[in-house]
Amino acid sequence: MNDDNESRDLSLATLAIRSAELRTDEMAHSETLFLTSSFVYESAAQAAGRFDGSQPGNVYSRFSNPTVKAFEQRLAAMEGGERAVAFGSGMGAIFGLFFALMSPGEHVVSSRSLFGTTNTVFRRYFTKFGMEYTLVDIDDIDAWRNAIQPKTRFFYIETPSNPLAEVGDIRALAELAHEHNIELIVDNCFCSPAVQKPLALGADYVVHSATKYLDGQGRCVGGAVVGKHEALEEVFAFLRATGASLSPFNAWVFLKGLETLPIRMRAHCENALALAQWLEQQEGVDKVFYAGLESHPSHKLASQQQNGFGGVLSFSLVDAQGSKERDVAWRFIDATEMISITANLGDVKTTITHPASTTHGRLTAEEKQEAGITENLIRLSVGLEDIEDLKREMQRGLAAIGY
Ligand SMILES: *Cc1c(COP(=O)(O)O)cnc(C)c1O
């Protein structure tokens, strides 16, 4: 395997393909899948050495597997981090990072607009284990400052936010955090390192759901934390003891996914921007939420800290009678023929979602209103089908609401 320092000079597209190459004596060109739960030793003495850590080498795939390690090294190289620790899911990674590093009584300030299950971790499990949190608007830096307490350990953001694509200023939040001896965690799932490099902007940790763009073809569930060696040693120890480990098979799929990540993300960004611009012109589309549009309040900041605008966009509808009720969104969704009705995202296949009744369905009416999740809102994860075919799908939806 290449060593980290050597890989730092290579560009992202090259790192995606050439970092952490995993070659055995059989000289297979593709990375080897070590589909094994355990490893054997030459002797009793070697076994003892592996167990007490005095000899390097593999022990057991809950915490040491060469294919998983290669995925960690490649992702770390692409994010520009010293190290990554892979988990069995994105939630495993997020939970693992918090619970490995925090103690009862400590506090997190987080952006309000979050992946639903991350919100559940705060609401149910932080509370249960005596940890505290405050939710603030992602773009209100004064609110972040005012929420800081003596025991604040982390700032946490998901940027751009789901589904309205509001952007948090990573550099400004990192500076504010560091002034108060706080560390910044960024969930980089929506952009991936091909579009946004939070660590280079000052963040201390990146968390990923590899399930989304890193895989890119909707096959496997997985996740990772990226950051500095020392802190991640704690996270690794937590993983080793608590067992939310990534399967070597999934790691192998993600390794292959990473190879095409930069080129896929360019294509996702291009398709999503073209579709957003087209949707903005259509009768029946009330508003389009995509930071690539100049009409979006986060456009300027997104242009500075991202090198594209990602593949996820949302839009609200108004039917020919002027209704903006749930029924309008559902009629639109049900009229599409090719695109997939599912809540997943980050796939080469375009997916369509009604956030108010699925991903954000458990929020109260008040919380929905605060988060801007209206009944007439649709989220698209724009895939890599031909743009003209995607426009035709949108036209089917618009026809169903009277246009
Ligand atoms: C999907 C997702 C997660 C959770 O990842 P899983 O792999 O489903 O556990 C976390 N954050 C964001 C932004 C996501 O989209």
Side-chain angles (χ1 to χ4, degrees), residues 89-91 94 115 118 158 187 189-190 209 211-212 221-222 345:
S89 70
M91 286 323 303
I94 292 165
F115 183 69
T118 305
E158 210 178 288
D187 181 332
C189 180
F190 272 63
S209 168
T211 318
K212 314 295 168 48
V221 176
L345 61 94

Side-chain angles (χ1 to χ4, degrees), residues 3-261:
D3 122 317
D4 287 3
N5 295 330
E6 185 186 324
S7 35
R8 295 217 187 253
D9 304 328
L10 300 172
S11 76
L12 189 80
T14 309
L15 290 174
I17 295 167
R18 292 291 176 179
S19 62
E21 284 184 297
L22 184 57
R23 192 151 296 147
T24 69
D25 290 346
E26 300 293 345
M27 299 298 279
H29 194 194
S30 171
E31 286 72 7
T32 303
L33 168 52
F34 287 90
L35 196 59
T36 181
S37 50
S38 63
F39 299 83
V40 295
Y41 315 104
E42 306 269 355
S43 65
Q46 190 186 48
R50 293 272 169 87
F51 268 79
D52 71 16
S54 62
Q55 278 187 36
N58 297 305
V59 178
Y60 185 50
S61 284
R62 174 162 22 83
F63 54 92
S64 63
N65 180 282
T67 310
V68 174
K69 193 167 177 194
F71 164 63
E72 292 172 338
Q73 290 183 335
R74 185 170 289 175
L75 180 63
M78 291 174 73
E79 285 285 2
E82 291 179 2
R83 177 174 182 183
V85 177
F87 282 82
S89 70
M91 286 323 303
I94 292 165
F95 181 86
L97 177 57
F98 283 135
F99 281 74
L101 299 184
M102 287 180 71
S103 307
E106 290 190 325
H107 171 256
V108 169
V109 185
S110 169
S111 54
R112 189 185 311 285
S113 172
L114 286 174
F115 183 69
T117 315
T118 305
N119 207 305
T120 306
V121 168
F122 285 138
R123 204 177 53 241
R124 290 193 59 168
Y125 298 104
F126 263 52
T127 323
K128 179 166 176 176
F129 292 100
M131 286 137 65
E132 290 168 28
Y133 66 99
T134 306
L135 302 180
V136 296
D137 290 340
I138 194 166
D139 51 2
D140 184 352
I141 194 88
D142 290 331
W144 287 83
R145 188 178 292 110
N146 293 335
I148 295 172
Q149 301 176 6
K151 288 228 163 185
T152 304
R153 176 79 175 81
F154 293 118
F155 279 3
Y156 186 91
I157 51 167
E158 210 178 288
T159 181
S161 73
N162 172 23
L164 298 183
E166 294 157 321
V167 173
D169 188 334
I170 296 174
R171 199 184 289 279
L173 287 172
E175 273 170 24
L176 176 62
H178 296 159
E179 276 167 27
H180 294 84
N181 214 9
I182 296 165
E183 292 186 304
L184 173 65
I185 304 169
V186 178
D187 181 332
N188 201 24
C189 180
F190 272 63
C191 278
S192 91
V195 170
Q196 170 170 279
K197 302 284 275 294
L199 299 177
L201 294 166
D204 301 283
Y205 304 91
V206 164
V207 290
H208 267 291
S209 168
T211 318
K212 314 295 168 48
Y213 288 106
L214 306 192
D215 175 330
Q217 295 179 61
R219 298 162 293 196
C220 290
V221 176
V225 179
V226 190
K228 293 208 175 71
H229 271 298
E230 201 180 323
L232 287 209
E233 198 50 38
E234 272 304 303
V235 176
F236 176 70
F238 182 87
L239 170 77
R240 178 178 175 146
T242 58
S245 317
L246 181 65
S247 141
F249 180 85
N250 291 9
W252 183 84
V253 171
F254 297 146
L255 265 173
K256 296 285 113 184
L258 287 178
E259 291 177 355
T260 57
L261 180 71

Side-chain angles (χ1 to χ4, degrees), residues 10 36 82 162 220 227 242 248 286 319 335 341 346 358 374 380 389:
L10 300 172
T36 181
E82 291 179 2
N162 172 23
C220 290
T242 58
D286 196 31
D319 79 0
I341 306 175
T358 60
T374 53
L380 281 185
D389 294 327

Side-chain angles (χ1 to χ4, degrees), residues 324-336:
K324 297 183 179 183
E325 298 304 314
R326 169 175 295 194
D327 168 63
V328 178
W330 281 22
R331 270 189 284 149
F332 183 100
I333 291 172
D334 290 342
T336 60

